[in-house]
Amino acid sequence: MSKRVLITFILIALSSICFAQGFSTPCDLIYPDALYKDSFILLQKNVNIQKCGERSFESEVVLDVENVKGAAESTFIYLNPYDPTSRSLKEDCISVYINNKFVRAVKDNSEDGDMFLFTAFVPEGRFKIKYVMEHGGSEISGTYYCEIENNYIGKWNVSASYSETISASIYNDVISFDPADVKLVGTGKQSGNSYFLKSGYISYSTKKKYSGFSIHCQNFYNGFGGGSGCPIPPSIYSDDEKIHSAIGYIYEFITDARIVEEKLKWDNDNDYLNYSFSKLLEVLEKLDKDELRLLRNAFYAKNNYVFKNSSLNNFFSSAICYFPDKSVTVDKIKIEKHEKILIEMIQAAEKGESSESVINKYKE
């Protein structure tokens, strides 16, 4: 059995333990029931995704539709596909309006996932379907806590003049856009098809019928959940268990600090914590002194500190989450207890000493 398969198996097996679980909430396209598909033509779609809390946001989708068969009662469907990191959705997590009139959700059984049915009287001619998805990011996220997809556009008759516009204003999270040809308005950074916003928004427009777009939002400052939502060092998913980028070091520090935080909370007989903490110790043991130095300083880069050392500034400037601020001084940076302990563990590893003994000292 390969290392990756073994790790995945262990994480899935342990995901039932009472931790703050992360989840991935998809937001796909509402589509007409097959009986009514020929009655409608999809003309336009507009999506607006915005943050509405520390760990929550909402996506509003407006579909411009033409009814070509005459006024009638019709049923529309929303399907949340089952996914290893998804959680069952409740009926009140999605609100649907047809021409601004609220339509009640009815949850139905489906082998494919959580299915919601919306039945309403639909007028002849053009009308709008608006639906709002509320997403709640968990204390520790999985790989993504929101996925906006275009999976069900094939369930519609799509107009030859179809167009769509998507905008996202989600701050301090990594937003990956596919395709990558989007416009950034405001303060932020880009690396490939990923964006990190401090203010403003990113937007994408197309006139293609099947653009195949997707948006993945990663709750960056909550650390990596390894798919099950529980904290696990992201570097163990690399074949050489190394960290290869500035954003990788910052993400590693955030996640490792969460492992330390959980280790302080829970008893030593917790099997998952023992596994997760042992992986953290492995990471600290495998990194050389230069790599440990970068991991230690990732804490300061996370807080946008301007380093006196030019090589550190040059290295961390490549991270899309690093916005150097000269007003940030060491004494102004707030350090949590678990972050302080992790830094001491890293310093012990740099000296060739036991990093595990550091946390044991705090647990005594």
Side-chain angles (χ1 to χ4, degrees):
M1 185 181 293
S2 70
K3 180 177 72 175
R4 290 173 186 269
V5 173
L6 178 61
I7 290 170
T8 301
F9 174 80
I10 291 172
L11 290 176
I12 291 173
L14 293 170
S15 62
S16 61
I17 295 175
C18 293
F19 271 80
Q21 294 290 307
F23 59 90
S24 169
T25 303
C27 181
D28 269 306
L29 197 62
I30 280 182
Y31 57 90
D33 184 280
L35 292 174
Y36 308 102
K37 178 180 177 180
D38 292 339
S39 301
F40 305 114
I41 299 176
L42 181 60
L43 305 174
Q44 189 178 46
K45 174 173 62 177
N46 293 289
V47 183
N48 181 37
I49 312 161
Q50 59 184 351
K51 202 149 190 172
C52 55
E54 178 63 25
R55 295 191 177 99
S56 63
F57 67 96
E58 68 177 25
S59 54
E60 179 184 278
V61 183
V62 179
L63 306 178
D64 194 353
V65 181
E66 184 176 4
N67 179 5
V68 296
K69 290 286 185 74
E73 186 174 74
S74 303
T75 299
F76 298 87
I77 298 171
Y78 177 84
L79 179 64
N80 170 32
Y82 285 136
D83 180 89
T85 59
S86 68
R87 298 291 181 264
S88 179
L89 298 182
K90 297 180 180 179
E91 291 183 5
D92 60 357
C93 77
I94 178 171
S95 302
V96 174
Y97 304 84
I98 295 182
N99 276 353
N100 293 320
K101 184 177 181 180
F102 178 75
V103 182
R104 189 173 69 89
V106 176
K107 192 170 181 180
D108 196 16
N109 293 325
S110 170
E111 294 181 357
D112 299 320
D114 295 330
M115 179 178 284
F116 300 84
L117 305 178
F118 306 91
T119 301
F121 186 82
V122 180
E124 185 177 3
R126 294 183 69 161
F127 66 96
K128 292 186 183 298
I129 302 175
K130 181 178 80 171
Y131 54 101
V132 178
M133 289 287 297
E134 295 182 1
H135 312 261
S138 188
E139 187 175 326
I140 301 171
S141 72
T143 304
Y144 301 110
Y145 67 98
C146 172
E147 297 175 276
I148 313 296
E149 304 281 1
N150 219 19
N151 293 336
Y152 297 112
I153 195 167
K155 300 281 189 178
W156 285 91
N157 289 323
V158 183
S159 168
S161 60
Y162 172 79
S163 64
E164 64 187 36
T165 301
I166 303 101
S167 65
S169 51
I170 302 174
Y171 308 121
N172 298 324
D173 291 13
V174 176
I175 310 169
S176 298
F177 238 91
D178 185 17
D181 52 340
V182 306
K183 181 180 180 182
L184 191 156
V185 178
T187 303
K189 286 187 177 182
Q190 176 186 0
S191 177
N193 68 337
S194 295
Y195 297 80
F196 198 95
L197 295 181
K198 301 300 287 185
S199 66
Y201 62 92
I202 55 178
S203 65
Y204 166 72
S205 298
T206 183
K207 292 187 176 181
K208 297 178 181 178
K209 290 184 182 181
Y210 303 103
S211 65
F213 85 89
S214 62
I215 304 173
H216 303 288
C217 304
Q218 193 176 64
N219 210 333
F220 187 74
Y221 284 134
N222 290 330
F224 185 66
S228 68
C230 300
I232 194 74
S235 58
I236 74 167
Y237 286 85
S238 172
D239 289 335
D240 57 8
E241 299 192 8
K242 295 285 186 176
I243 312 164
H244 297 286
S245 65
I247 193 172
Y249 276 96
I250 297 172
Y251 204 15
E252 181 81 30
F253 184 93
I254 292 167
T255 308
D256 293 350
R258 296 305 299 269
I259 294 172
V260 171
E261 182 181 31
E262 296 296 336
K263 187 69 173 174
L264 293 172
K265 287 181 187 177
W266 297 83
D267 294 332
N268 283 329
D269 61 355
N270 186 298
D271 290 338
Y272 173 74
L273 242 314
N274 289 337
Y275 170 78
S276 187
F277 186 68
S278 69
K279 301 311 294 185
L280 167 56
L281 295 179
E282 279 186 29
V283 171
L284 296 182
E285 184 179 343
K286 287 179 179 292
L287 298 181
D288 62 32
K289 287 188 177 182
D290 290 337
E291 292 165 332
L292 288 167
R293 175 171 173 262
L294 290 174
L295 182 59
R296 173 167 49 84
N297 281 284
F299 166 77
Y300 299 99
K302 176 176 75 79
N303 287 281
N304 300 316
Y305 174 73
V306 177
F307 296 95
K308 295 181 174 62
N309 184 290
S310 60
S311 65
L312 288 173
N313 276 329
N314 291 336
F315 178 77
F316 285 109
S317 65
S318 65
I320 59 173
C321 61
Y322 179 52
F323 294 82
D325 183 349
K326 291 183 178 180
S327 68
V328 176
T329 57
V330 172
D331 59 319
K332 288 183 179 180
I333 297 176
K334 180 182 178 182
I335 182 168
E336 303 289 347
K337 180 179 179 180
H338 54 281
E339 294 174 323
K340 179 176 182 293
I341 294 173
L342 177 59
I343 289 175
E344 290 184 20
M345 291 174 66
I346 297 170
Q347 289 173 328
E350 288 178 284
K351 297 175 184 176
E353 300 172 356
S354 169
S355 55
E356 185 175 12
S357 64
V358 174
I359 194 169
N360 289 337
K361 178 182 66 177
Y362 282 92
K363 288 179 70 68
E364 289 176 354

